[in-house]
Amino acid sequence: MSEKKYSILQIQGGLGKHIAATALAKVIKRSFPERELIVVCAWPELWASLPFVYRVFPLGNTQYFYSEYVDGKDSLIFANEPYFTTTHVNKTHSLVESWCKMYGLEYQGEQPVLKINPEQKKAIRNFYEPKFEGKPFLLLHTNGGLFTNERPFCWSRDMPFDVASKVADHFKKSHFIMQITRPNSPEIPDVFVRNEQLSNTELCGLVELTDKRLLIDSSLQHAAAAFSLPSTVLWNATSSVIFGHGIHDNIQAKEKPTKPLPGSYLFDYQFDANENEFPYEEEDLKDLYNIDQIVASLESQSNHPKKGFG
């Protein structure tokens, strides 16, 4: 047997799930400090700077991995899917808690963590700060999901355009406003729009420059939690209990009418919820959210010290 011992964590899924999984990685390292932690994942760039991670491998690019870290080695394997655990399906535990419970690990409130190195920070700052013109930075993340998905809008988690527009109108004189969205999605007039695919480092790192954040159930609400930046997060149909973070002000949309869901299996409304099961009537759409509540939540973010770069 090799003298070295390993914990091998495999993660599949989207960027937000990967950021949330950094909390699980901290639990694994705390539980097995004598073992080197190896991560195999779809989005390796955000893991490379984490000091408690020994090696990172992209999924599908693991040449010689078995002979190096598995065959005849003292390795623990963490490669199960938490989305199909009872506590996750029943929405009784957060994703990280369910992940830990699945592996028999003790969860002690660990939160996600991201680390952007000084050169990456400098590049992000040099691009964005000249655009601020001395104004504080309000970030609106309106549309999420994989860029390979051609749907311009997903009702179950993307921000209603009317909400985004009204918030932008309220803050446009006092703040530099940027919208993060997808190609072909609606764009808010008179704000700075990024609808191209950014590197994960830039996408997450720019969050540290923000003063206020209005986010959705997607990667940047996990990134904001990782940087300890309280944010306002809107939840149309997915659950803040399992995917949210207590640091944020999680605002749920108007309660959905009870309707049969013939296309749903273990979950009701998923990230890419199907239009056939849209639960609202036309008149419901006018007040899915209370704009005054959202504005007040964003205003309260001024009471939190900005972390920023430095």
Side-chain angles (χ1 to χ4, degrees), residues 71-98:
D71 190 21
K73 307 299 191 297
D74 187 347
S75 295
L76 299 179
I77 310 299
F78 300 88
N80 296 349
E81 178 50 72
Y83 281 3
F84 300 113
T85 59
T86 299
T87 54
H88 186 81
V89 172
N90 287 338
K91 301 178 183 177
T92 59
H93 292 57
S94 72
L95 172 61
V96 176
E97 289 179 281
S98 291

PDB file of all heavy atoms in Angstrom, residues 71-98:
ATOM      1  N   ASP A  71      -5.780   2.048  -7.565  1.00  0.00           N
ATOM      2  CA  ASP A  71      -5.318   0.664  -7.544  1.00  0.00           C
ATOM      3  C   ASP A  71      -4.269   0.460  -6.448  1.00  0.00           C
ATOM      4  O   ASP A  71      -3.161   1.003  -6.516  1.00  0.00           O
ATOM      5  CB  ASP A  71      -4.725   0.297  -8.904  1.00  0.00           C
ATOM      6  CG  ASP A  71      -4.446  -1.196  -9.022  1.00  0.00           C
ATOM      7  OD1 ASP A  71      -5.050  -1.978  -8.259  1.00  0.00           O
ATOM      8  OD2 ASP A  71      -3.614  -1.578  -9.874  1.00  0.00           O
ATOM      9  N   GLY A  72      -4.622  -0.325  -5.429  1.00  0.00           N
ATOM     10  CA  GLY A  72      -3.699  -0.608  -4.342  1.00  0.00           C
ATOM     11  C   GLY A  72      -3.453   0.563  -3.416  1.00  0.00           C
ATOM     12  O   GLY A  72      -2.577   0.488  -2.536  1.00  0.00           O
ATOM     13  N   LYS A  73      -4.220   1.657  -3.571  1.00  0.00           N
ATOM     14  CA  LYS A  73      -4.024   2.844  -2.741  1.00  0.00           C
ATOM     15  C   LYS A  73      -5.087   2.907  -1.640  1.00  0.00           C
ATOM     16  O   LYS A  73      -6.139   2.294  -1.739  1.00  0.00           O
ATOM     17  CB  LYS A  73      -4.115   4.120  -3.597  1.00  0.00           C
ATOM     18  CG  LYS A  73      -3.206   4.131  -4.825  1.00  0.00           C
ATOM     19  CD  LYS A  73      -1.743   4.019  -4.451  1.00  0.00           C
ATOM     20  CE  LYS A  73      -0.823   4.290  -5.635  1.00  0.00           C
ATOM     21  NZ  LYS A  73      -0.965   3.334  -6.740  1.00  0.00           N
ATOM     22  N   ASP A  74      -4.794   3.626  -0.600  1.00  0.00           N
ATOM     23  CA  ASP A  74      -5.741   3.837   0.493  1.00  0.00           C
ATOM     24  C   ASP A  74      -6.557   5.089   0.161  1.00  0.00           C
ATOM     25  O   ASP A  74      -6.188   6.207   0.526  1.00  0.00           O
ATOM     26  CB  ASP A  74      -4.983   4.017   1.811  1.00  0.00           C
ATOM     27  CG  ASP A  74      -5.910   4.083   3.023  1.00  0.00           C
ATOM     28  OD1 ASP A  74      -7.126   4.237   2.822  1.00  0.00           O
ATOM     29  OD2 ASP A  74      -5.413   3.994   4.161  1.00  0.00           O
ATOM     30  N   SER A  75      -7.658   4.898  -0.575  1.00  0.00           N
ATOM     31  CA  SER A  75      -8.461   6.018  -1.049  1.00  0.00           C
ATOM     32  C   SER A  75      -9.913   5.854  -0.646  1.00  0.00           C
ATOM     33  O   SER A  75     -10.484   4.761  -0.753  1.00  0.00           O
ATOM     34  CB  SER A  75      -8.371   6.134  -2.579  1.00  0.00           C
ATOM     35  OG  SER A  75      -7.063   6.457  -2.987  1.00  0.00           O
ATOM     36  N   LEU A  76     -10.520   6.948  -0.197  1.00  0.00           N
ATOM     37  CA  LEU A  76     -11.954   6.998   0.044  1.00  0.00           C
ATOM     38  C   LEU A  76     -12.608   7.701  -1.142  1.00  0.00           C
ATOM     39  O   LEU A  76     -12.118   8.734  -1.609  1.00  0.00           O
ATOM     40  CB  LEU A  76     -12.260   7.772   1.329  1.00  0.00           C
ATOM     41  CG  LEU A  76     -11.681   7.206   2.629  1.00  0.00           C
ATOM     42  CD1 LEU A  76     -12.051   8.104   3.799  1.00  0.00           C
ATOM     43  CD2 LEU A  76     -12.169   5.787   2.864  1.00  0.00           C
ATOM     44  N   ILE A  77     -13.734   7.161  -1.618  1.00  0.00           N
ATOM     45  CA  ILE A  77     -14.379   7.687  -2.820  1.00  0.00           C
ATOM     46  C   ILE A  77     -15.691   8.376  -2.443  1.00  0.00           C
ATOM     47  O   ILE A  77     -16.553   7.786  -1.780  1.00  0.00           O
ATOM     48  CB  ILE A  77     -14.672   6.554  -3.835  1.00  0.00           C
ATOM     49  CG1 ILE A  77     -13.409   5.692  -4.061  1.00  0.00           C
ATOM     50  CG2 ILE A  77     -15.198   7.132  -5.136  1.00  0.00           C
ATOM     51  CD1 ILE A  77     -12.229   6.447  -4.613  1.00  0.00           C
ATOM     52  N   PHE A  78     -15.829   9.621  -2.890  1.00  0.00           N
ATOM     53  CA  PHE A  78     -17.042  10.406  -2.669  1.00  0.00           C
ATOM     54  C   PHE A  78     -17.570  10.811  -4.054  1.00  0.00           C
ATOM     55  O   PHE A  78     -17.179  11.840  -4.596  1.00  0.00           O
ATOM     56  CB  PHE A  78     -16.725  11.645  -1.832  1.00  0.00           C
ATOM     57  CG  PHE A  78     -16.146  11.339  -0.478  1.00  0.00           C
ATOM     58  CD1 PHE A  78     -14.768  11.193  -0.315  1.00  0.00           C
ATOM     59  CD2 PHE A  78     -16.961  11.179   0.627  1.00  0.00           C
ATOM     60  CE1 PHE A  78     -14.225  10.909   0.927  1.00  0.00           C
ATOM     61  CE2 PHE A  78     -16.431  10.883   1.880  1.00  0.00           C
ATOM     62  CZ  PHE A  78     -15.051  10.747   2.029  1.00  0.00           C
ATOM     63  N   ALA A  79     -18.430   9.962  -4.630  1.00  0.00           N
ATOM     64  CA  ALA A  79     -18.857  10.188  -6.011  1.00  0.00           C
ATOM     65  C   ALA A  79     -20.353   9.950  -6.210  1.00  0.00           C
ATOM     66  O   ALA A  79     -20.794   9.743  -7.334  1.00  0.00           O
ATOM     67  CB  ALA A  79     -18.052   9.285  -6.958  1.00  0.00           C
ATOM     68  N   ASN A  80     -21.136  10.019  -5.136  1.00  0.00           N
ATOM     69  CA  ASN A  80     -22.574   9.775  -5.252  1.00  0.00           C
ATOM     70  C   ASN A  80     -23.325  11.066  -5.579  1.00  0.00           C
ATOM     71  O   ASN A  80     -22.794  12.161  -5.422  1.00  0.00           O
ATOM     72  CB  ASN A  80     -23.117   9.164  -3.965  1.00  0.00           C
ATOM     73  CG  ASN A  80     -22.526   7.786  -3.688  1.00  0.00           C
ATOM     74  OD1 ASN A  80     -21.872   7.205  -4.549  1.00  0.00           O
ATOM     75  ND2 ASN A  80     -22.740   7.280  -2.493  1.00  0.00           N
ATOM     76  N   GLU A  81     -24.578  10.925  -5.991  1.00  0.00           N
ATOM     77  CA  GLU A  81     -25.396  12.072  -6.414  1.00  0.00           C
ATOM     78  C   GLU A  81     -26.349  12.503  -5.302  1.00  0.00           C
ATOM     79  O   GLU A  81     -27.276  11.759  -4.960  1.00  0.00           O
ATOM     80  CB  GLU A  81     -26.188  11.705  -7.676  1.00  0.00           C
ATOM     81  CG  GLU A  81     -27.116  12.791  -8.177  1.00  0.00           C
ATOM     82  CD  GLU A  81     -26.441  14.139  -8.315  1.00  0.00           C
ATOM     83  OE1 GLU A  81     -25.615  14.294  -9.245  1.00  0.00           O
ATOM     84  OE2 GLU A  81     -26.715  15.020  -7.481  1.00  0.00           O
ATOM     85  N   PRO A  82     -26.170  13.699  -4.728  1.00  0.00           N
ATOM     86  CA  PRO A  82     -27.013  14.120  -3.602  1.00  0.00           C
ATOM     87  C   PRO A  82     -28.432  14.495  -4.002  1.00  0.00           C
ATOM     88  O   PRO A  82     -29.333  14.531  -3.156  1.00  0.00           O
ATOM     89  CB  PRO A  82     -26.274  15.353  -3.060  1.00  0.00           C
ATOM     90  CG  PRO A  82     -25.558  15.900  -4.258  1.00  0.00           C
ATOM     91  CD  PRO A  82     -25.137  14.697  -5.048  1.00  0.00           C
ATOM     92  N   TYR A  83     -28.674  14.789  -5.285  1.00  0.00           N
ATOM     93  CA  TYR A  83     -30.002  15.225  -5.702  1.00  0.00           C
ATOM     94  C   TYR A  83     -31.066  14.149  -5.511  1.00  0.00           C
ATOM     95  O   TYR A  83     -32.262  14.462  -5.514  1.00  0.00           O
ATOM     96  CB  TYR A  83     -29.985  15.646  -7.170  1.00  0.00           C
ATOM     97  CG  TYR A  83     -29.416  17.019  -7.431  1.00  0.00           C
ATOM     98  CD1 TYR A  83     -28.891  17.799  -6.407  1.00  0.00           C
ATOM     99  CD2 TYR A  83     -29.398  17.548  -8.715  1.00  0.00           C
ATOM    100  CE1 TYR A  83     -28.365  19.057  -6.654  1.00  0.00           C
ATOM    101  CE2 TYR A  83     -28.882  18.806  -8.974  1.00  0.00           C
ATOM    102  CZ  TYR A  83     -28.367  19.562  -7.941  1.00  0.00           C
ATOM    103  OH  TYR A  83     -27.852  20.805  -8.199  1.00  0.00           O
ATOM    104  N   PHE A  84     -30.662  12.896  -5.338  1.00  0.00           N
ATOM    105  CA  PHE A  84     -31.629  11.816  -5.197  1.00  0.00           C
ATOM    106  C   PHE A  84     -31.693  11.276  -3.776  1.00  0.00           C
ATOM    107  O   PHE A  84     -32.223  10.190  -3.554  1.00  0.00           O
ATOM    108  CB  PHE A  84     -31.325  10.701  -6.199  1.00  0.00           C
ATOM    109  CG  PHE A  84     -31.393  11.180  -7.624  1.00  0.00           C
ATOM    110  CD1 PHE A  84     -30.252  11.243  -8.396  1.00  0.00           C
ATOM    111  CD2 PHE A  84     -32.586  11.617  -8.172  1.00  0.00           C
ATOM    112  CE1 PHE A  84     -30.299  11.716  -9.698  1.00  0.00           C
ATOM    113  CE2 PHE A  84     -32.643  12.089  -9.469  1.00  0.00           C
ATOM    114  CZ  PHE A  84     -31.496  12.143 -10.244  1.00  0.00           C
ATOM    115  N   THR A  85     -31.166  12.036  -2.820  1.00  0.00           N
ATOM    116  CA  THR A  85     -31.301  11.636  -1.420  1.00  0.00           C
ATOM    117  C   THR A  85     -32.687  12.042  -0.914  1.00  0.00           C
ATOM    118  O   THR A  85     -33.305  12.979  -1.416  1.00  0.00           O
ATOM    119  CB  THR A  85     -30.225  12.303  -0.553  1.00  0.00           C
ATOM    120  OG1 THR A  85     -30.351  13.729  -0.667  1.00  0.00           O
ATOM    121  CG2 THR A  85     -28.830  11.876  -0.986  1.00  0.00           C
ATOM    122  N   THR A  86     -33.154  11.333   0.118  1.00  0.00           N
ATOM    123  CA  THR A  86     -34.485  11.598   0.660  1.00  0.00           C
ATOM    124  C   THR A  86     -34.608  13.023   1.183  1.00  0.00           C
ATOM    125  O   THR A  86     -35.615  13.713   0.941  1.00  0.00           O
ATOM    126  CB  THR A  86     -34.801  10.599   1.792  1.00  0.00           C
ATOM    127  OG1 THR A  86     -34.789   9.270   1.246  1.00  0.00           O
ATOM    128  CG2 THR A  86     -36.167  10.867   2.410  1.00  0.00           C
ATOM    129  N   THR A  87     -33.603  13.502   1.904  1.00  0.00           N
ATOM    130  CA  THR A  87     -33.693  14.840   2.496  1.00  0.00           C
ATOM    131  C   THR A  87     -33.705  15.930   1.428  1.00  0.00           C
ATOM    132  O   THR A  87     -34.337  16.971   1.608  1.00  0.00           O
ATOM    133  CB  THR A  87     -32.546  15.090   3.481  1.00  0.00           C
ATOM    134  OG1 THR A  87     -31.287  14.844   2.818  1.00  0.00           O
ATOM    135  CG2 THR A  87     -32.657  14.184   4.688  1.00  0.00           C
ATOM    136  N   HIS A  88     -33.015  15.703   0.299  1.00  0.00           N
ATOM    137  CA  HIS A  88     -33.025  16.691  -0.772  1.00  0.00           C
ATOM    138  C   HIS A  88     -34.377  16.688  -1.488  1.00  0.00           C
ATOM    139  O   HIS A  88     -34.969  17.751  -1.721  1.00  0.00           O
ATOM    140  CB  HIS A  88     -31.900  16.408  -1.773  1.00  0.00           C
ATOM    141  CG  HIS A  88     -31.765  17.462  -2.822  1.00  0.00           C
ATOM    142  ND1 HIS A  88     -31.107  18.646  -2.615  1.00  0.00           N
ATOM    143  CD2 HIS A  88     -32.235  17.525  -4.099  1.00  0.00           C
ATOM    144  CE1 HIS A  88     -31.157  19.399  -3.700  1.00  0.00           C
ATOM    145  NE2 HIS A  88     -31.836  18.729  -4.620  1.00  0.00           N
ATOM    146  N   VAL A  89     -34.864  15.506  -1.821  1.00  0.00           N
ATOM    147  CA  VAL A  89     -36.139  15.413  -2.533  1.00  0.00           C
ATOM    148  C   VAL A  89     -37.282  15.967  -1.671  1.00  0.00           C
ATOM    149  O   VAL A  89     -38.178  16.657  -2.168  1.00  0.00           O
ATOM    150  CB  VAL A  89     -36.423  13.956  -2.946  1.00  0.00           C
ATOM    151  CG1 VAL A  89     -37.836  13.814  -3.500  1.00  0.00           C
ATOM    152  CG2 VAL A  89     -35.403  13.491  -3.985  1.00  0.00           C
ATOM    153  N   ASN A  90     -37.227  15.709  -0.369  1.00  0.00           N
ATOM    154  CA  ASN A  90     -38.270  16.198   0.531  1.00  0.00           C
ATOM    155  C   ASN A  90     -38.059  17.640   0.984  1.00  0.00           C
ATOM    156  O   ASN A  90     -38.869  18.189   1.735  1.00  0.00           O
ATOM    157  CB  ASN A  90     -38.378  15.295   1.769  1.00  0.00           C
ATOM    158  CG  ASN A  90     -39.012  13.954   1.450  1.00  0.00           C
ATOM    159  OD1 ASN A  90     -39.718  13.820   0.458  1.00  0.00           O
ATOM    160  ND2 ASN A  90     -38.766  12.960   2.284  1.00  0.00           N
ATOM    161  N   LYS A  91     -36.950  18.256   0.552  1.00  0.00           N
ATOM    162  CA  LYS A  91     -36.652  19.667   0.833  1.00  0.00           C
ATOM    163  C   LYS A  91     -36.590  19.963   2.331  1.00  0.00           C
ATOM    164  O   LYS A  91     -37.106  20.977   2.816  1.00  0.00           O
ATOM    165  CB  LYS A  91     -37.688  20.580   0.163  1.00  0.00           C
ATOM    166  CG  LYS A  91     -37.748  20.412  -1.347  1.00  0.00           C
ATOM    167  CD  LYS A  91     -38.810  21.300  -1.964  1.00  0.00           C
ATOM    168  CE  LYS A  91     -38.904  21.065  -3.459  1.00  0.00           C
ATOM    169  NZ  LYS A  91     -39.974  21.847  -4.102  1.00  0.00           N
ATOM    170  N   THR A  92     -35.944  19.059   3.063  1.00  0.00           N
ATOM    171  CA  THR A  92     -35.808  19.255   4.506  1.00  0.00           C
ATOM    172  C   THR A  92     -34.410  19.705   4.912  1.00  0.00           C
ATOM    173  O   THR A  92     -34.233  20.207   6.026  1.00  0.00           O
ATOM    174  CB  THR A  92     -36.137  17.953   5.265  1.00  0.00           C
ATOM    175  OG1 THR A  92     -35.247  16.906   4.833  1.00  0.00           O
ATOM    176  CG2 THR A  92     -37.581  17.529   5.011  1.00  0.00           C
ATOM    177  N   HIS A  93     -33.430  19.525   4.032  1.00  0.00           N
ATOM    178  CA  HIS A  93     -32.054  19.899   4.340  1.00  0.00           C
ATOM    179  C   HIS A  93     -31.475  20.688   3.170  1.00  0.00           C
ATOM    180  O   HIS A  93     -31.905  20.515   2.021  1.00  0.00           O
ATOM    181  CB  HIS A  93     -31.168  18.660   4.555  1.00  0.00           C
ATOM    182  CG  HIS A  93     -31.485  17.881   5.788  1.00  0.00           C
ATOM    183  ND1 HIS A  93     -32.729  17.354   6.045  1.00  0.00           N
ATOM    184  CD2 HIS A  93     -30.694  17.512   6.846  1.00  0.00           C
ATOM    185  CE1 HIS A  93     -32.699  16.689   7.191  1.00  0.00           C
ATOM    186  NE2 HIS A  93     -31.483  16.788   7.695  1.00  0.00           N
ATOM    187  N   SER A  94     -30.479  21.503   3.450  1.00  0.00           N
ATOM    188  CA  SER A  94     -29.754  22.157   2.367  1.00  0.00           C
ATOM    189  C   SER A  94     -28.996  21.117   1.562  1.00  0.00           C
ATOM    190  O   SER A  94     -28.757  19.994   2.034  1.00  0.00           O
ATOM    191  CB  SER A  94     -28.772  23.190   2.923  1.00  0.00           C
ATOM    192  OG  SER A  94     -27.667  22.539   3.549  1.00  0.00           O
ATOM    193  N   LEU A  95     -28.613  21.504   0.344  1.00  0.00           N
ATOM    194  CA  LEU A  95     -27.872  20.586  -0.517  1.00  0.00           C
ATOM    195  C   LEU A  95     -26.620  20.070   0.172  1.00  0.00           C
ATOM    196  O   LEU A  95     -26.333  18.865   0.151  1.00  0.00           O
ATOM    197  CB  LEU A  95     -27.499  21.301  -1.824  1.00  0.00           C
ATOM    198  CG  LEU A  95     -26.559  20.551  -2.769  1.00  0.00           C
ATOM    199  CD1 LEU A  95     -27.181  19.237  -3.229  1.00  0.00           C
ATOM    200  CD2 LEU A  95     -26.198  21.429  -3.971  1.00  0.00           C
ATOM    201  N   VAL A  96     -25.847  20.954   0.792  1.00  0.00           N
ATOM    202  CA  VAL A  96     -24.595  20.533   1.431  1.00  0.00           C
ATOM    203  C   VAL A  96     -24.869  19.601   2.604  1.00  0.00           C
ATOM    204  O   VAL A  96     -24.165  18.604   2.803  1.00  0.00           O
ATOM    205  CB  VAL A  96     -23.775  21.755   1.871  1.00  0.00           C
ATOM    206  CG1 VAL A  96     -22.516  21.315   2.620  1.00  0.00           C
ATOM    207  CG2 VAL A  96     -23.381  22.608   0.665  1.00  0.00           C
ATOM    208  N   GLU A  97     -25.924  19.898   3.384  1.00  0.00           N
ATOM    209  CA  GLU A  97     -26.281  19.005   4.493  1.00  0.00           C
ATOM    210  C   GLU A  97     -26.647  17.617   3.978  1.00  0.00           C
ATOM    211  O   GLU A  97     -26.233  16.604   4.555  1.00  0.00           O
ATOM    212  CB  GLU A  97     -27.447  19.594   5.279  1.00  0.00           C
ATOM    213  CG  GLU A  97     -27.095  20.815   6.104  1.00  0.00           C
ATOM    214  CD  GLU A  97     -28.312  21.356   6.823  1.00  0.00           C
ATOM    215  OE1 GLU A  97     -29.115  22.048   6.166  1.00  0.00           O
ATOM    216  OE2 GLU A  97     -28.467  21.094   8.030  1.00  0.00           O
ATOM    217  N   SER A  98     -27.433  17.560   2.893  1.00  0.00           N
ATOM    218  CA  SER A  98     -27.811  16.257   2.326  1.00  0.00           C
ATOM    219  C   SER A  98     -26.593  15.526   1.805  1.00  0.00           C
ATOM    220  O   SER A  98     -26.468  14.300   1.946  1.00  0.00           O
ATOM    221  CB  SER A  98     -28.833  16.455   1.194  1.00  0.00           C
ATOM    222  OG  SER A  98     -30.069  16.910   1.696  1.00  0.00           O
TER     223      SER A  98
END
